[in-house]
Each structure stands twice: as C-alpha cells, then as structure tokens.
Amino acid sequence: VALLIAVALCATLACTAGPATAARPTAATPAPVLKKPAVEGRKLAARFLTLLKGTSTPALKAFLSPAFLLQRADGTSATRAAYLKAVTNVKSFVITDVKATQQGGTLAVRYTATTDQIVDGVEYKRTPAPRLSTFVWNGRAWTLMSHANFNTPQ
C-alpha cells in the first residue's frame, strides 16, 4: 500500500513538474534600481513624445499601461482607450528641467517639454509646458501609467 501511494505521488509530481511547467510564464523581473532616475526619466519622456509623432501605433499602445490616465491643462482627461482613439500629434519637442524619483517599480518624472503639436486639429507651436509622468515596471519594461500637462497650449 505504501508503495502504491509513493508511485501515485511520484506520478502526480511528475505530471505537475513535467513539460507543463515549461509553458508557465516565468516570474517577472524586478524593476531596475536606477542610480540616476532623471536620466531614465528623460529617455522615457522622449520615447513617449516620439511615439506621438503621427497616429496611434502598436508601439504606443504597448508603451501605455492598461491603467493609463491622462489629465490635460484645459481640464479634459482620457483613459488609455480614449487616448488611443485621438492621439495628440507632436511634430517636434525639446525636454528640459528633468527631475525624477523612484520607489521600487514606480518612476515619477517631472519635466518641461517645449513642443510643436496638433491637438484636436489645432496646431500649437513652441508651447512649453510642465509635465508629470508616472511610469510603472511591468516585469519586462517601463510603461506609462499617467501623464499630466500643466499649461494650456497657446
């Protein structure tokens, strides 16, 4: 009887630890500890603004966290789905005054972006605006969870 129980137990363990284990996702990689969060923050802000050149792309969709929220200076806001339907078209940009802090898998980045952009069909040239972006680590890469712009385009 003990031998039958041992064989059954071994068979059960073999089934759960066998090939099916290889198909399971691996554990997520912890967020990198950034020695200079502002350097990574500048890169991520530039990536976001670069992805806004043109129309909504699969790369932008992948870069935005599923929980993404946008707050505009004019009081309007958007969820990820709404934002992807009517993306702002940034023609050019310059990023300055970058400050960033990191806590585990969260990176908060404050910066000024001077942009040439089209918002809802209206073109705005060289509009500087303080921005605040929050990035979260998804186990593989940083994604943009929230973004706020604090000046109404002129």
Side-chain angles (χ1 to χ4, degrees), residues 2-152:
L3 182 58
L4 286 175
I5 294 172
V7 169
L9 181 59
C10 285
T12 302
L13 290 175
C15 287
T16 59
T21 304
R24 292 182 189 152
T26 58
T29 304
V33 177
L34 304 172
K35 291 184 180 181
K36 295 183 178 181
V39 172
E40 186 69 14
R42 178 184 297 274
K43 288 179 190 174
L44 291 167
R47 181 170 176 214
F48 174 53
L49 293 172
T50 298
L51 288 171
L52 296 180
K53 289 185 174 185
T55 60
S56 177
T57 65
L60 177 61
K61 186 176 181 179
F63 187 64
L64 299 180
S65 162
F68 176 77
L69 286 175
L70 172 78
Q71 178 63 54
R72 294 186 180 101
D74 67 2
T76 62
S77 62
T79 62
R80 180 177 185 254
Y83 188 69
L84 288 169
K85 288 179 184 173
V87 174
T88 297
N89 184 344
V90 174
K91 293 180 174 252
S92 65
F93 64 88
V94 175
I95 296 172
T96 57
D97 305 320
V98 180
K99 305 282 188 256
T101 58
Q102 179 185 12
Q103 176 65 43
T106 304
L107 180 64
V109 184
R110 181 251 171 260
Y111 56 100
T112 298
T114 301
T115 61
D116 288 330
Q117 62 185 350
I118 298 172
V119 179
D120 294 329
V122 179
E123 188 168 355
Y124 300 96
K125 294 194 176 275
R126 291 285 161 211
T127 304
R131 316 254 176 153
L132 182 62
S133 298
T134 306
F135 299 91
V136 293
W137 183 257
N138 69 7
R140 297 179 318 277
W142 293 105
T143 60
L144 182 58
M145 179 178 249
S146 65
H147 179 73
N149 178 340
F150 294 100
N151 278 357
T152 303

